[in-house]
């Protein structure tokens, strides 16, 4: 409440001097939220605890048996999940709030410990043999289940990363693990498919109202992965004119994302679409002009980039302004 109201009541004699001083002092010392500061500290605590345990195990691996390490990690994970199952609110396909402040972080610690346990088990004892796809598939399913069952966006991001890893490892496990390279058409097609799967999940989430607040996460990763994979296909054999065919699905997807973002009034996704589209269009124009004019095109390209960058800034400012105006209507 505005302090001017207290002054008015005091001047009219409805509020005594002592009461006015107390109320004014309370008004000056208003409470402020430490919500995000607390969340940041809790996330850092989980990360530091996980990292610290890893360093401790690494430095003392000669004196601690592998069985003891695995048992310790399993104990942490099981304890976290037992607590979360006891404290969780009833399941719903809509958004469910955490029962307390620490719940999400205990669940995150349990999930990280679970993934660490499976990875350690595979690395040390090869329980899945050379079937690396299965070693990544099982944690991925578990993470998706945890994300939906407990309504946790952070674990959903972990599950999406596990899905990407599983698809990549399943396609070329030997090449990926031996050389660490993604420079192949097979990998590019795989990640185009991965991005489209995420965009399809985002559509289903919105269409059937299944954890609708998960749409942003699916959409965010799907857009980045698909656009980058399509651009990787375009630049894979840049000298070949036929490679420009990769830009056809690129701009088709960009149009879909743009109109969907306009409908949802999301400036963030409009921004992503325009920036990726600008990069793709600029590379295509550069390719065409350089092909015809060679080095004579350099100065022309520089002028085009300067003018188009200025125009792009004004376009984004105008779009953002229009979205804000429409929100107030």
């Amino acid at each position: 409440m505005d302090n001017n109201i207290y002054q008015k009541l005091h001047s009219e004699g409805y509020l005594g001097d002592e009461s006015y001083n107390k109320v004014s002092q309370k008004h000056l010392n208003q409470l402020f939220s430490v919500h995000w500061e607390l969340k940041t500290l809790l996330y850092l605590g989980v990360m530091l605890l996980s990292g610290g345990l890893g360093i401790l195990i690494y430095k003392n691996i000669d004196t601690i048996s592998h069985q003891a390490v695995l048992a310790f990690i399993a104990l942490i994970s099981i304890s976290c999940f037992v607590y979360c199952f006891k404290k969780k609110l009833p399941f719903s396909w809509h958004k469910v709030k955490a029962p307390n402040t620490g719940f999400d972080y205990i669940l995150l610690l349990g999930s990280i410990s679970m993934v660490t346990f499976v990875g350690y088990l595979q690395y040390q004892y090869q329980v899945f043999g050379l079937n690396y796809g299965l070693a990544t598939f099982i944690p991925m399913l578990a993470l998706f289940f945890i994300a939906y069952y407990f309504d946790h966006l952070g674990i959903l991001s972990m599950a999406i990363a596990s899905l990407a890893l599983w698809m990549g490892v399943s396609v070329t496990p030997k090449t990926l693990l031996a050389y660490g390279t993604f420079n192949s058409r097979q990998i590019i097609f795989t990640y185009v498919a991965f991005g489209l799967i995420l965009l399809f999940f985002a559509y289903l989430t919105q269409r059937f109202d299944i954890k609708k607040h998960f749409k942003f996460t699916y959409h965010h990763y799907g857009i980045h992965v698909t656009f980058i994979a399509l651009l990787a296909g375009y630049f894979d054999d840049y000298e070949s004119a036929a490679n420009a065919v990769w830009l056809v699905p690129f701009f088709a997807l960009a149009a879909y994302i743009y109109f969907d973002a306009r409908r949802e009034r999301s400036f963030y996704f409009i921004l992503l679409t325009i920036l990726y589209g600008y990069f793709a269009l600029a590379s295509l124009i550069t390719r065409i002009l350089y092909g015809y004019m060679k080095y004579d095109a350099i100065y022309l390209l520089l002028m085009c980039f300067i003018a188009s960058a200025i125009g792009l800034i004004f376009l984004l400012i105008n779009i953002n302004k229009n979205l804000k105006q429409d929100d107030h209507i």
Side-chain angles (χ1 to χ4, degrees):
M1 187 180 291
D2 193 347
N3 196 38
N4 291 331
I5 297 176
Y6 301 134
Q7 293 177 355
K8 184 177 180 181
L9 292 173
H10 178 255
S11 63
E12 293 177 357
Y14 294 106
L15 198 63
D17 292 337
E18 185 178 355
S19 299
Y20 173 70
N21 290 332
K22 289 181 179 179
V23 171
S24 298
Q25 189 66 27
K26 184 177 180 180
H27 180 77
L28 291 173
N29 298 313
Q30 288 183 348
L31 296 175
F32 63 93
S33 174
V34 294
H35 173 75
W36 292 109
E37 290 84 350
L38 182 60
K39 287 180 72 103
T40 302
L41 288 174
L42 287 170
Y43 268 120
L44 286 175
V46 171
M47 295 299 105
L48 289 173
L49 177 59
S50 301
L53 289 174
I55 294 171
L56 179 65
I57 292 168
Y58 175 77
K59 288 188 174 182
N60 297 277
I61 194 64
D62 294 333
T63 57
I64 305 174
S65 67
H66 294 293
Q67 293 87 349
V69 172
L70 284 169
F72 181 63
I73 297 173
L75 180 63
I76 293 175
S77 183
I78 292 171
S79 300
C80 291
F81 285 125
V82 168
Y83 172 84
C84 291
F85 272 103
K86 286 183 176 181
K87 297 293 183 180
K88 75 174 187 68
L89 297 176
F91 173 79
S92 172
W93 288 113
H94 304 289
K95 188 172 184 177
V96 178
K97 293 183 178 180
N100 55 61
T101 305
F103 181 87
D104 284 343
Y105 307 96
I106 294 173
L107 184 62
L108 181 63
L109 177 60
S111 299
I112 293 174
S113 302
M114 179 202 67
V115 174
T116 304
F117 177 83
V118 175
Y120 196 130
L121 201 63
Q122 171 64 13
Y123 175 79
Q124 186 61 39
Y125 295 104
Q126 299 288 314
V127 292
F128 299 105
L130 296 178
N131 192 346
Y132 297 104
L134 186 60
T136 54
F137 182 73
I138 292 176
M140 178 198 71
L141 287 183
L143 288 172
F144 271 114
F145 171 78
I146 294 167
Y148 275 87
Y149 190 73
F150 292 102
D151 201 330
H152 199 293
L153 287 170
I155 296 175
L156 178 65
S157 297
M158 291 174 59
I160 290 172
S162 297
L163 175 60
L165 180 63
W166 172 71
M167 291 183 69
V169 169
S170 297
V171 172
T172 56
K174 185 176 180 181
T175 304
L176 185 64
L177 294 174
Y179 305 107
T181 178
F182 291 86
N183 187 23
S184 73
R185 285 292 178 93
Q186 195 174 19
I187 289 292
I188 291 171
F189 280 118
T190 300
Y191 281 94
V192 169
F194 169 62
L196 292 176
I197 288 172
L198 294 182
L199 292 174
F200 183 62
F201 280 0
Y203 168 77
L204 292 178
T205 297
Q206 176 78 20
R207 175 67 177 80
F208 296 103
D209 195 13
I210 301 173
K211 297 288 184 186
K212 190 183 291 186
H213 55 292
F214 281 9
K215 180 187 176 181
F216 178 89
T217 303
Y218 283 124
H219 222 50
H220 169 77
Y221 288 110
I223 288 173
H224 284 296
V225 170
T226 311
F227 278 155
I228 291 172
L230 289 172
L231 288 172
Y234 172 62
F235 287 108
D236 184 48
D237 187 11
Y238 193 68
E239 298 299 325
S240 173
N243 232 35
V245 72
W246 284 90
L247 295 181
V248 175
F250 179 93
F251 286 116
L253 177 64
Y256 166 76
I257 298 297
Y258 177 80
F259 288 112
D260 181 71
R262 291 288 301 206
R263 186 175 63 254
E264 296 290 328
R265 321 204 57 72
S266 173
F267 178 72
Y268 172 70
F269 290 126
I270 291 175
L271 176 65
L272 288 183
T273 306
I274 291 176
L275 291 180
Y276 275 115
Y278 175 79
F279 178 79
L281 190 60
S283 66
L284 181 61
I285 292 173
T286 302
R287 182 178 186 176
I288 293 172
L289 290 179
Y290 185 78
Y292 283 103
M293 302 173 64
K294 298 298 179 182
Y295 294 103
D296 295 333
I298 293 177
Y299 294 107
L300 178 60
L301 286 171
L302 287 175
M303 295 300 296
C304 288
F305 288 149
I306 293 172
S308 62
I310 294 173
L312 181 66
I313 292 170
F314 281 105
L315 173 64
L316 292 173
I317 292 173
N318 186 55
I319 290 174
N320 188 37
K321 185 186 298 184
N322 290 336
L323 288 175
K324 288 182 178 179
Q325 289 176 352
D326 293 339
D327 288 338
H328 291 299
I329 295 176

